[in-house]
Amino acid sequence: MTKVYAGIRPHPPVVTPLFGIAPFLGAAVSIALSAVIVQPINSAAGRTLSSLAALMALASFGPQKYFDAQFALIWPAVILGQLAVLVIFIGVFGEIRRRKNIDITVKSNVEQV
């Protein structure tokens, strides 16, 4: 690998590890912000984006971190990240269930008329 000026490696590096790079974090943040903008629970796009953002957060805060050698130093972020993902999934799937129940109720009311 070539070095320029003060012996500093070129940026961006030739090879970057998956899930440990700024573009992945930027994508996760932009998806989460997009979910907020389109209303995370009230629209299908928002629910999809919210779920995708939660799944992307698990790359950094998922259960695999319990086996990390540095877990004693990062446990607050891991636990809070997992709780946040759980809250997102409860909200999204609760809304999906609620909408299905409303659809069933509306269909049965239409059939009765």
Side-chain angles (χ1 to χ4, degrees):
M1 179 182 298
T2 61
K3 295 184 179 186
V4 294
Y5 301 115
I8 300 170
R9 293 183 183 185
H11 184 76
V14 176
V15 177
T16 54
L18 189 61
F19 301 117
I21 54 175
F24 179 80
L25 296 176
V29 170
S30 67
I31 289 171
L33 185 58
S34 297
V36 170
I37 290 171
V38 298
Q39 300 185 0
I41 300 297
N42 296 334
S43 69
R47 290 188 297 275
T48 302
L49 289 168
S50 295
S51 298
L52 183 58
L55 289 173
M56 292 178 84
L58 287 177
S60 295
F61 302 112
Q64 75 277 7
K65 292 298 182 176
Y66 292 118
F67 304 106
D68 190 308
Q70 299 296 316
F71 183 74
L73 300 174
I74 62 172
W75 69 267
V78 172
I79 300 298
L80 291 174
Q82 290 176 2
L83 286 174
V85 168
L86 183 63
V87 167
I88 290 169
F89 284 150
I90 288 171
V92 167
F93 292 115
E95 182 65 16
I96 290 170
R97 175 184 278 172
R98 188 184 73 77
R99 287 178 183 264
K100 283 185 181 179
N101 288 340
I102 289 173
D103 289 344
I104 291 170
T105 304
V106 169
K107 285 180 184 178
S108 65
N109 288 341
V110 168
E111 290 172 359
Q112 290 176 0
V113 173

